[in-house]
Every structure is written in structure tokens, then in C-alpha cells.
Amino acid sequence: MLLVSPSPEGVKKPFTFKTTNINVYSLEEAMYHAFHDWKSSIEDIFSNEFSKWVEEELKLFYISSKIKSSKSNTLSNRLMDFLKTIDYFSENELETMKAEIVSWENRLEWEKLKEHADFLLSKNQPSKAYSYYIKALQVEKNQVLYNNLGIALLKMEYYNKAEASFKSAYELDEKNEDILFNLMEATIYNENYNDAKTLLNNYMEHHESKDAYFYYGELYRLSGDDKNAVDFYEKSIKLGDDLHSYLRLFDIYMKHSQLDYAKKILEFVPLQNQNTVEYIVKLAELHQTSHNMSAAIGCIEKALTDERDSLTLWIHLARLHRLSYDYQKATSAITKALEINNLDDEARLEYALIKKSQGKIKDYQAVLKSIVHGVKSFYRDVTTI
């Protein structure tokens, strides 16, 4: 049974929806527009202008008061309350619409949380990013969130939890190679070498890539087989890896005290990558091992002219000054690092070591205690994943 329209006849002044520029002359028209174009009209429906128009132009005082007094805490509930003020839509129509709005609300919520988490991750604050990814996953479980959570956990060296997170992402998107390689990395660093080799072998049956060869190199290096690791890093370089395999070869040669080979490897790094933070740190390490501290400090300082916000470079500069017994410059450098991120454990540890080197044992112990307490507290949270 149709109800008589609550809107009066002969309404001369329409209400104009600002976003769509649609004019409506009755409550039914407003409802129709809100139902079919709710994303564009929602702000207008709950504006003071609309409730005033309903009251003054349509003379629907009761409905106007209901719109004003809507206390629902979600957009979907508020809109449902409005659309139910008269029997204009069927229950099926309203339920379908509510499901659409709830889905949209959830997406909006998790995307905001993800965006904030991604920003924190880009600022090298993985522990803070972690908490926002967890909140986002409570709203929506998808491969993007699981993948990015895994990256945060990798940065914090929680390899077991990172592997589990990447597995969840990969199960949702098995065609995504980025997720697959992240899973390989976490599996290798978690020392699940057999599982990692199975993933790599399955991938290599259908593909050949520098990334796969690089991870084969990682697998063998971390399992103690440097000879095979070198072979695979060299294969990765032949297929186009222009930095990471070089640096891993450098690490192997440094481990075996083959300084000449290590030096040559750095010389072979393509020029476009010889100004990266990773390369500069390795070059400084080579100078330091060769007992040329002034050269080590010099290459870090030179890099900082272009990379003033590099936390890694400031920490390394502080460490080199500490090892050179220049505690004033070491303190100045670590202060810069802490200004960039005062929660970074590596920076805080270097600060503590500088204090210890200066004989300020109480300061050293206080910082160390704070770091250990933070790690224990965070570990308790992470184990709940």
C-alpha cells in the first residue's frame, strides 16, 4: 500500500545539491537522489541548509528534527535513519544499499590507516607502522596490508612473523611476484632453507630473473655456502642486478679478509649506484678495515652533503668518530640521527656507546635499559599476531 506523499504541493524553492547541481522539490526526490548518488549527496543531506529547507519550505517539522537529532555513529546508520523516515524504499533496497555503504566505509578506514602506516615505514619507523597495519587488518584483510605488514616485520627482524604475513598475502594473490619475492626473503632469513629452495625452484621452472638468482645467493650465503652464493650473485649481476649482488659479494670477500677483491667489487658497481647510501657505507667499511679512518669519515661526510636526512649515514659517522675517540663530533653526529628518528634503536644504541666511551656509565645503562624494555614490550605485542 502506497503512502500519501508527505511533501506539500506547489513547492517553489528547490533544494540544490552542491556536488551534483541537482534541484529537488520534494522529500521523495531528495531521498531518490540520496539513494542513487549517496557518495556525492551525503554531506548535503546532513547539512544545516537541508534540514532548514525541509522545515521551512516543506513544512515537515518532525522529519527535519529527526535529521538534526540523528545520533548514529556511522555514515551508513545515519543515512539509513534518513531513508527510513518515510516508507519510500523497500527493505531489500535499503539492505543492499547499507551493505554497499558499509563496504565503502571499511575501505575508507583501512586505506587511511594504511596510508599512515606506509608513511611511518618510509620514515624508518617500522614498529609504529606495524601497529597501524594491524589496526587496518582488523577492518579489512587483503594482500596489500599483509605484504606491507610483512615488510615492517622484516625491518624489525621478526622473520618468523614476517614469513607468516607474506604467506597470508601470497595466498590471496599468487600471481604477484613482488609478494612472492618478499616471501622468499623472509623464508630465507627465517632459516627455512628447504621451503625457500622449493619456492625458488618452482619459480625458476617458468622464469629466470636476477631477483631469483639473488635470493639463491642469499639462501646459500646465510646457510654458510659462500662458494655457491658467489656463483648465484654473479648470475644475478649478468642478468642486470646493478647493486645488491655486488654488495653481497663485497660482504663475502670482507668476511674472508680478501680486501683486494672487495675493493674491485666496489669499483665494478655501476656509476649510477656509487652515490647510494648502501654503497657509501660499504666503501667506508673498506677504508675502516684498511685502517684509513680519515678516508672512511670523509666519504660519509661527502655523501651527507646530498643526503642530509639519511639516518644510516649519521649513525655511521657517529660510530666512526667514536672509534676515532672524537666524542664531541660523535655526539654531534648522533644528535643529528636522533633528530631524524629518536625512536630508532640503532641510533639510541650508538648514543649509549658514545656515553660509555666517555665514561658516563649511568647514562649508558639508562639508555640500554630503555632499549631492552622497549624490545620486550614490543615483542609481547608482536607475538599476538
Side-chain angles (χ1 to χ4, degrees), residues 72-223:
S72 296
N73 58 356
T74 65
L75 175 64
S76 55
N77 286 338
R78 288 192 74 191
L79 193 54
M80 289 302 107
D81 288 345
F82 168 67
L83 295 175
K84 288 178 179 178
T85 51
I86 61 172
D87 292 334
Y88 188 67
F89 299 104
S90 70
E91 285 297 321
N92 286 339
E93 287 177 313
L94 292 175
E95 285 302 315
T96 300
M97 182 184 184
K98 184 174 182 178
E100 181 184 346
I101 298 173
V102 168
S103 175
W104 178 77
E105 283 180 316
N106 287 345
R107 183 175 181 83
L108 197 64
E109 184 178 354
W110 74 256
E111 283 186 340
K112 284 183 178 179
L113 290 166
K114 175 189 172 295
E115 184 178 334
H116 190 56
D118 289 348
F119 172 77
L120 291 169
L121 198 58
S122 73
K123 295 299 180 182
N124 199 32
Q125 298 182 39
S127 61
K128 282 188 173 183
Y130 160 86
S131 63
Y132 282 95
Y133 286 131
I134 289 296
K135 289 177 183 177
L137 280 163
Q138 290 170 352
V139 179
E140 168 78 14
K141 289 177 170 54
N142 63 48
Q143 66 270 27
V144 175
L145 291 175
Y146 277 121
N147 179 72
N148 291 12
L149 173 65
I151 292 171
L153 289 164
L154 266 185
K155 286 180 176 289
M156 294 182 290
E157 300 181 6
Y158 287 92
Y159 301 129
N160 184 40
K161 298 299 179 181
E163 181 182 347
S165 191
F166 289 130
K167 278 183 179 177
S168 296
Y170 189 59
E171 286 170 1
L172 294 170
D173 189 1
E174 293 186 354
K175 294 182 179 180
N176 191 312
E177 285 193 6
D178 289 334
I179 294 175
L180 175 58
F181 282 121
N182 287 337
L183 174 57
M184 289 178 186
E185 181 176 359
T187 305
I188 291 167
Y189 293 162
N190 195 35
E191 299 182 4
N192 286 338
Y193 301 129
N194 289 334
D195 290 349
K197 186 174 286 189
T198 298
L199 287 170
L200 280 163
N201 289 343
N202 290 342
Y203 178 83
M204 288 291 281
E205 285 181 3
H206 308 286
H207 311 83
E208 183 183 33
S209 76
K210 63 180 182 180
D211 295 316
Y213 281 132
F214 172 79
Y215 284 117
Y216 269 119
E218 292 289 87
L219 190 158
Y220 285 112
R221 179 179 66 89
L222 292 170
S223 62

Side-chain angles (χ1 to χ4, degrees), residues 209-215 218 232-249 268-270 272-273:
S209 76
K210 63 180 182 180
D211 295 316
Y213 281 132
F214 172 79
Y215 284 117
E218 292 289 87
F232 279 106
Y233 289 136
E234 289 177 348
K235 287 179 180 179
S236 179
I237 288 170
K238 286 180 181 178
L239 285 184
D241 187 348
D242 55 8
L243 181 61
H244 296 103
S245 289
Y246 285 103
L247 300 185
R248 288 294 191 262
L249 287 172
F268 287 143
V269 172
Q272 70 268 21
N273 284 323

Side-chain angles (χ1 to χ4, degrees), residues 280-281 283-285 287 294-304 313:
I280 296 300
V281 167
L283 181 59
E285 182 184 341
H287 288 312
S294 61
I297 291 170
C299 72
I300 295 285
E301 288 179 334
K302 182 180 178 182
L304 278 166
L313 289 178

Side-chain angles (χ1 to χ4, degrees), residues 27 33 47 49 96 198 212 238 244 248 264 271 280 316 329-330 338 360:
L27 183 64
H33 189 61
S47 66
E49 292 83 358
T96 300
T198 298
K238 286 180 181 178
H244 296 103
R248 288 294 191 262
K264 284 186 179 297
L271 288 175
I280 296 300
H316 274 79
K329 288 184 177 179
L338 290 168
K360 299 177 180 179

